[in-house]
Amino acid sequence: MTSAQVETDGAPEEGYERGLGSRQVQMIAIGGAVGVGLFLGAGANIAKAGPSLIFMYALAGVIIFFIMRALGELLLYRPVSGSFAEYSREFLGPFFGYFTAWTYWLMWVVTGMAELTAAAIYVNYWFPAVSQWVTALAFLVILFVANLISVKLFGEIEFWFSMVKVTALIGMIVIGLGVLTFGFSSAGDTASVANLWQFDGFFPKGIGSSLMTLQGVMFAYLAVELVGVTAGESENPEKTLPKAINTLPWRIALFYVGALTVILCVVKWTEFAPGVSPFVEAFAKIGIPAGAGIVNFVVLTAALSSCNSGMYSTGRMLRTLADNGEAPRTFSRLSASKTPALGITISVAFMGIGVVLNYVVPEKAFGYVTSVATAAGIWTWLMILVSHVLYRRAVDAGRLPASSFPAPGGAKFSYVAIAFLLFVTGLIAYDADSRICLYVMAGWAFALWIGWLVLKSRNPQVTERREPALEKVL
């Protein structure tokens, strides 16, 4: 009997602790929609697209909602840790489950590198003499220790990290609206809704340039699917998961579209530059005493929050792989505090590559890792959507029970989202700067294929399609 199975008396043999309450799952979901892609990456995208970036975030946000409703239907059909990797395994076959789990692990390892890089950049705002790699290493160690202690501590840290950035974002929006309405502060004389179109129009560099920002925009949305990974450790997934997913549209509307609209009304888009948080820049222009420093602290918590989530997620994915015989068996063991300690440790060791990048190429580290993370994220989202389409076909044919949380429109919007993600992949291939991530992913795919062949020769039954032993929700 594997650690993911359940004994006949109904008690988990060696299962995860259901230590994430509704309050924590909700805030993890909210925090997942607000990350370093918005706080730091938006600066470069504003320089490329101007005010039209608002429309790009709104468009991508609609697609993300389609993806999350598809995942939500699958989660309430069978809530498990490892979620989308397990659904890929069930509906597309063992290889796709193996490939998706390892690729999602890669996505979070690389995202962790990006967040550590961003955190180091933010600390440089106060302490320019401190090397980026030193700060990145310090944060890596602190979060690693916290993740080893317990899932409750992870949830509590994530709750407060998310609370800080969400409260601050709402505060930024209110202050920005105050500047626009009452004209106070240093930016009051030039703040105007007309800033959205006065400087060469809403699409100042053309629609093509705006579309090219979609890859960066999609990176900003990475992590919204994290609620799917929390399914196996949520106290009441039937209630908490639908609520977390259904509140996604207003979170996107408020935190992305709303915040960017206000910022670009208060400060004209031509004053933003790559490598600088537009929120920090805007508050510097407004001239509120210590305002830029406070915002810098907030965006620092956002980066640490996402890195914290990455450590949580990677450990769980390695355990899912081990339970299915697709990673060393030792990764399936839980520590005394019910955390996959070895999986987290190995993942953190690979995140340490980000520390090395910050030492070798500090000015390029963020761009390199975000493009690879986006490509891995797109694969994960595609697998969610394709699994959803196949699940709906099985339900319509009477082979599987219907979910208690069906996606609106059945599988129709999943097809729309699949087409959109393929379009974004085409944009990545077209752009010379980001194209390198596709080469990295091709190398990654080849390495996984070799691993699969080795696995098949050593343990053939692991590579055969079978009913997965999934943890029941008690």
Side-chain angles (χ1 to χ4, degrees):
M1 189 178 217
T2 70
S3 57
Q5 289 175 302
V6 178
E7 292 182 321
T8 54
D9 63 3
E13 177 190 11
E14 194 192 350
Y16 290 122
E17 174 188 8
R18 291 198 180 276
L20 296 178
S22 175
R23 149 183 90 89
Q24 293 167 324
V25 172
Q26 289 296 317
M27 200 50 81
I28 287 171
I30 293 172
V34 183
V36 72
L38 172 65
F39 283 127
L40 182 61
N45 288 325
I46 289 171
K48 289 179 184 176
S52 65
L53 184 65
I54 297 167
F55 176 73
M56 295 298 121
Y57 271 110
L59 174 62
V62 171
I63 300 301
I64 290 296
F65 182 61
F66 293 161
I67 295 169
M68 289 305 295
R69 282 306 302 257
L71 177 58
E73 182 165 2
L74 291 168
L75 285 170
L76 270 296
Y77 147 68
R78 202 199 302 256
V80 289
S81 281
S83 62
F84 25 84
E86 293 295 346
Y87 303 134
S88 300
R89 183 173 286 108
E90 179 178 355
F91 296 108
L92 289 140
F95 176 76
F96 287 92
Y98 156 86
F99 194 99
T100 300
W102 274 112
T103 300
Y104 193 66
W105 175 83
L106 173 71
M107 186 200 89
W108 268 114
V109 165
V110 176
T111 299
M113 295 180 197
E115 309 300 349
L116 290 169
T117 301
I121 290 170
Y122 297 143
V123 170
N124 273 1
Y125 177 84
W126 295 302
F127 307 104
V130 178
S131 299
Q132 277 186 209
W133 73 270
V134 174
T135 312
L137 179 61
F139 286 136
L140 183 70
V141 173
I142 292 168
L143 293 177
F144 168 57
V145 172
N147 266 270
L148 289 184
I149 295 174
S150 75
V151 68
K152 286 184 178 179
L153 180 60
F154 158 78
E156 204 58 33
I157 290 174
E158 198 57 32
F159 175 83
W160 289 107
F161 273 160
S162 295
M163 181 68 79
V164 167
K165 60 188 177 184
V166 167
T167 303
L169 258 183
I170 293 172
M172 291 178 206
I173 293 171
V174 171
I175 292 171
L177 290 173
V179 173
L180 284 169
T181 306
F182 302 109
F184 64 80
S185 89
S186 303
D189 294 337
T190 56
S192 169
V193 175
N195 283 340
L196 296 179
W197 60 81
Q198 271 189 339
F199 301 94
D200 299 323
F202 190 69
F203 290 89
K205 298 194 175 181
I207 293 177
S209 183
S210 298
L211 288 173
M212 292 307 294
T213 65
L214 279 174
Q215 53 187 298
V217 169
M218 296 310 286
F219 171 76
Y221 285 123
L222 293 183
V224 293
E225 75 292 323
L226 185 63
V227 290
V229 183
T230 68
E233 290 168 277
S234 303
E235 289 175 351
N236 193 347
E238 289 88 350
K239 291 183 179 179
T240 57
L241 295 178
K243 187 176 180 182
I245 290 169
N246 279 335
T247 54
L248 185 65
W250 74 257
R251 296 199 305 269
I252 290 172
L254 179 65
F255 299 137
Y256 281 95
V257 179
L260 275 176
T261 300
V262 170
I263 289 292
L264 289 172
C265 287
V266 171
V267 181
K268 59 184 181 182
W269 72 270
T270 53
E271 297 190 28
F272 296 108
V276 179
S277 169
F279 294 89
V280 175
E281 183 72 13
F283 270 68
K285 299 286 184 186
I286 290 172
I288 296 176
I294 293 170
V295 175
N296 196 65
F297 170 74
V298 172
V299 297
L300 172 62
T301 65
L304 296 179
S305 166
S306 188
C307 188
N308 187 42
S309 296
M311 291 182 188
Y312 170 91
S313 186
T314 50
R316 272 74 186 166
M317 275 297 164
L318 284 181
R319 188 181 188 227
T320 296
L321 283 159
D323 280 342
N324 285 282
E326 296 162 352
R329 201 70 188 165
T330 186
F331 286 138
S332 67
R333 295 176 188 163
L334 294 178
S335 67
S337 57
K338 300 292 185 183
T339 61
L342 182 60
I344 294 172
T345 303
I346 295 297
S347 302
V348 167
F350 277 93
M351 285 183 191
I353 295 172
V355 176
V356 176
L357 285 175
N358 275 284
Y359 178 75
V360 179
V361 282
E363 71 287 348
K364 294 182 179 180
F366 187 76
Y368 284 159
V369 294
T370 53
S371 62
V372 175
T374 303
I378 287 174
W379 172 268
T380 300
W381 290 333
L382 281 171
M383 290 300 97
I384 291 170
L385 294 165
V386 173
S387 296
H388 179 247
V389 169
L390 296 176
Y391 167 70
R392 289 302 301 236
R393 287 182 185 174
V395 170
D396 293 342
R399 296 193 302 272
L400 288 175
S403 171
S404 61
F405 186 47
K412 295 185 184 68
F413 292 122
S414 289
Y415 284 114
V416 172
I418 289 170
F420 179 85
L421 292 178
L422 293 176
F423 174 69
V424 173
T425 304
L427 292 177
I428 292 173
Y430 179 77
D431 182 37
D433 290 335
S434 59
R435 193 182 302 147
I436 187 171
C437 75
L438 297 182
Y439 300 141
V440 172
M441 289 305 296
W444 175 252
F446 180 73
L448 287 182
W449 179 67
I450 294 296
W452 184 254
L453 293 179
V454 172
L455 191 64
K456 199 169 185 177
S457 65
R458 292 183 177 179
N459 197 0
Q461 66 268 28
V462 168
T463 62
E464 296 170 359
R465 186 182 285 268
R466 65 194 186 283
E467 275 294 315
L470 302 176
E471 184 179 325
K472 296 178 182 178
V473 176
L474 303 176

